[in-house]
Structure formats: C-alpha cells, structure tokens
C-alpha cells in the first residue's frame, strides 16, 4: 500500500492546490498557482469557521443550561429571604406582646400584697348583734332614768324616804352595771358601744389597707388593663371604683362595708387576670427561648 502511494502520478491540475502525500515531499506547483497567503487563507478560514460553529453551539447550549440553573438559584435565594423577613415580623410582634405583658405584671404586682382577711371583715358584727346591743343599751338607760326619778321624787317628799333610798341604790347599781369591766362579769354579749367601736375599727383598718394597695398610682385603675384576660373586670358595677382609683380618691370613699366588699371582689377578679397574664408571659418567654429569640426572652426587670 505504501508502494502504491509512492508510485501515484503527480497532479497536473492547476486548480488543485498543493497536496501532501505521506512519505514524500510536496509536488511542485505551476507558475499559475495562487499566492501562498491566499492558498493558506482558504483552509484557515474554513478551519476557523468549522471551529467557531461548534464553539457557538456549545456556548448556546451552556447558556440554555445555565439559564434554568440561575433561575433555580434565584428562587432558592429568595426563599430564605422571605423566611427571614417573616421571622423578623414574628419576633417583633412577640417582643411587643411580651413588653405589654411585662408592663401589666409590673403595674399590678401590688395585688399580691392583698390581705383577704382584712378586706373581707369576717368578724364584722351583723345587724342582729347591733340591734340586740342597742336594745340592751336602751333598757339600761331606761332603768337608770327610772331609778333617778324615784330618788328625786323622794327628795321632794312625793314618795316615802325609804322608797327614795331604794331608788338611789338601784340607780348606783345600774350605773355600775354599765361599766365595761363590771358588765363582762355577768354578761358575755358585747355592748352597743363595743359593737360600734369594732365596726369603726375594722372599717378604718380596711381603708388603710386599701390606701396601701392603691399607692400613688391607683391599683384598680391600672389593673383595668387586664380586662382582656378576665371580662369580669369590664362589669359596669366596677366603673365607680375605677373612676375613683384614677382620681386617687378611692380609699377615702370606702365609708361602708359594702364598698369594701365591692373593692375586694374586684381585687379577686384582678388576681385571676394577673395569674393568666403571668402564665401567658411565661409561655411566650419559653417559646422565645425555644426559637432562639434572645431579645424577646429577656427576664422581667427586678422590682425596686
């Protein structure tokens, strides 16, 4: 086969360019052959065109392949951004809610100082005890006045002297029976004066305790903000208490036991609302800790 290639006749066609044969030198070209630059430009141009076309096709294919990938990366990049924005909004709302709950707890924490026994006044003398003591007092006054009249009648000679003397003795004994230390010897029931004084003392203590709870800000007025956690605080029967508390004049208007009992009922309802607010605050704090919101999960400020 090598011999056939070596014995092949030379090319005499002038239109054909130089042909390289393996194993031999190029055939001589006639004088009419084109310029070497022109002859070499044809295959170079063809080679360049042949190479450029696959390169362009490959670039177009890469562009088509990269377009979906870029779009996928862009969508995947937008999703974390949306999640972060939504997380920031939730964190802001949680921080605002925790701040409001913390403010409620701080403003109404004096409700924990409530003395139920002092405001309930369970030892309050009832009306029957007061009426019985009044009846005993009236009987004592009538007996003392009758004995005094008998004695004075004897001084005028209207009655015998021994009757006047008896009246005088009875008058002295009746007066002695009115002395508290002597009266406790023969009777365990309180006197009318004792009942009245006990009522006044208990009412005075309750008013002092209410003034201590109200402070300078007004406890009832501040606890009204917790009405969302206990709708009973919105009852219209408490409107006067809230108004007086806002005016810092509630304690001195508690002049009757009914007023103190109404005040106590409101405090009990406010205490229920306080417990619910505290529970909601702790739940929100725990949720913030679980989600890693350090700013929301801050501890309540220390009381001063």
């Amino acid at each position: 086969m090598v011999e056939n290639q070596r014995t092949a006749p030379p090319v005499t066609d002038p239109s054909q360019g130089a042909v390289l044969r393996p194993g031999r030198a190029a055939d001589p070209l006639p004088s009419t052959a084109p310029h070497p630059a022109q002859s070499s430009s044809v295959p170079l141009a063809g080679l360049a065109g042949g190479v450029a076309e696959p390169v362009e096709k490959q670039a177009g294919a890469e562009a088509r392949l990269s377009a979906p990938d870029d779009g996928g990366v862009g969508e995947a990049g937008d999703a974390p951004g949306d999640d972060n924005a939504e997380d920031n909004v939730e964190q802001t709302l949680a921080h605002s809610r925790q701040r409001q709950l913390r403010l409620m707890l701080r403003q109404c924490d004096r409700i924990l100082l409530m003395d139920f026994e002092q405001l309930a006044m369970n030892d309050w003398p009832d009306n029957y005890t007061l009426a019985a003591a009044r009846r005993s007092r009236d009987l004592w006054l009538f007996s003392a006045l009758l004995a005094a009249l008998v004695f004075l009648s004897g001084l005028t000679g209207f009655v015998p002297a021994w009757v006047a003397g008896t009246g005088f003795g009875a008058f002295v004994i009746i007066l002695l029976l009115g002395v508290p230390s002597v009266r406790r010897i023969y009777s365990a029931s309180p006197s009318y004066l004792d009942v009245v004084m006990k009522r006044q003392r208990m009412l005075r203590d309750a008013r002092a305790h209410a003034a201590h709870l109200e402070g300078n800000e007004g406890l009832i007025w501040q606890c009204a903000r917790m009405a969302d956690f206990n709708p009973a605080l919105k009852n219209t029967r408490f409107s006067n208490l809230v108004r007086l508390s806002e005016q810092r004049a509630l304690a001195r208007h508690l002049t009757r036991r009914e007023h103190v009992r109404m005040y106590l009922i409101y405090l009990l309802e406010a205490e229920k609302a306080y417990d619910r607010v505290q529970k909601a605050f702790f739940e929100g704090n725990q949720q913030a800790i679980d989600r890693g919101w350090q700013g929301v999960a801050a501890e309540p400020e220390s009381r001063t």
Side-chain angles (χ1 to χ4, degrees), residues 96-106 229 277 280-282:
S96 177
R97 176 177 173 80
Q98 289 295 103
R99 184 178 180 182
Q100 293 179 358
L101 296 178
R102 188 184 299 113
L103 181 60
M104 291 181 189
L105 294 176
R106 184 174 181 83
F229 293 88
V277 173
F281 175 78
F282 288 148

Side-chain angles (χ1 to χ4, degrees), residues 6-74:
R6 289 181 179 179
T7 59
V11 181
T12 59
D13 188 1
S15 62
Q16 184 177 3
V19 178
L20 298 178
R21 298 290 185 180
R24 61 184 296 275
D27 295 336
L29 298 177
S31 60
T32 59
H35 193 272
Q38 296 178 357
S39 63
S40 62
S41 63
V42 175
L44 291 176
L47 179 61
V51 173
E53 182 178 358
V55 171
E56 291 178 357
K57 291 181 179 180
Q58 182 178 2
E62 292 179 355
R64 289 192 298 270
L65 292 175
S66 62
D69 295 339
D70 295 341
V73 172

Side-chain angles (χ1 to χ4, degrees), residues 133-209:
R134 184 186 295 111
R135 186 168 56 251
S136 299
R137 184 205 59 178
D138 295 342
L139 181 60
W140 176 79
L141 288 177
F142 177 77
S143 301
L145 181 59
L146 182 61
L149 289 177
V150 172
F151 173 70
L152 293 177
S153 299
L155 295 178
T156 58
F158 185 75
V159 294
W162 66 270
V163 176
T166 303
F168 177 78
F171 177 75
V172 173
I173 294 174
I174 293 172
L175 290 179
L176 291 175
L177 293 177
V179 178
S181 58
V182 178
R183 190 175 186 280
R184 295 190 186 96
I185 298 176
Y186 70 93
S187 177
S189 60
S191 63
Y192 179 78
L193 183 62
D194 294 338
V195 173
V196 173
M197 293 297 295
K198 185 176 181 180
R199 280 190 170 189
Q200 292 180 356
R201 183 179 65 256
M202 295 181 66
L203 185 59
R204 182 174 62 251
D205 294 342
R207 292 175 62 183
H209 185 59

Side-chain angles (χ1 to χ4, degrees), residues 211-226:
H212 174 68
L213 293 177
E214 288 294 312
N216 297 326
E217 294 81 12
L219 178 62
I220 294 297
W221 174 57
Q222 291 183 341
C223 290
R225 300 182 57 183
M226 300 188 299

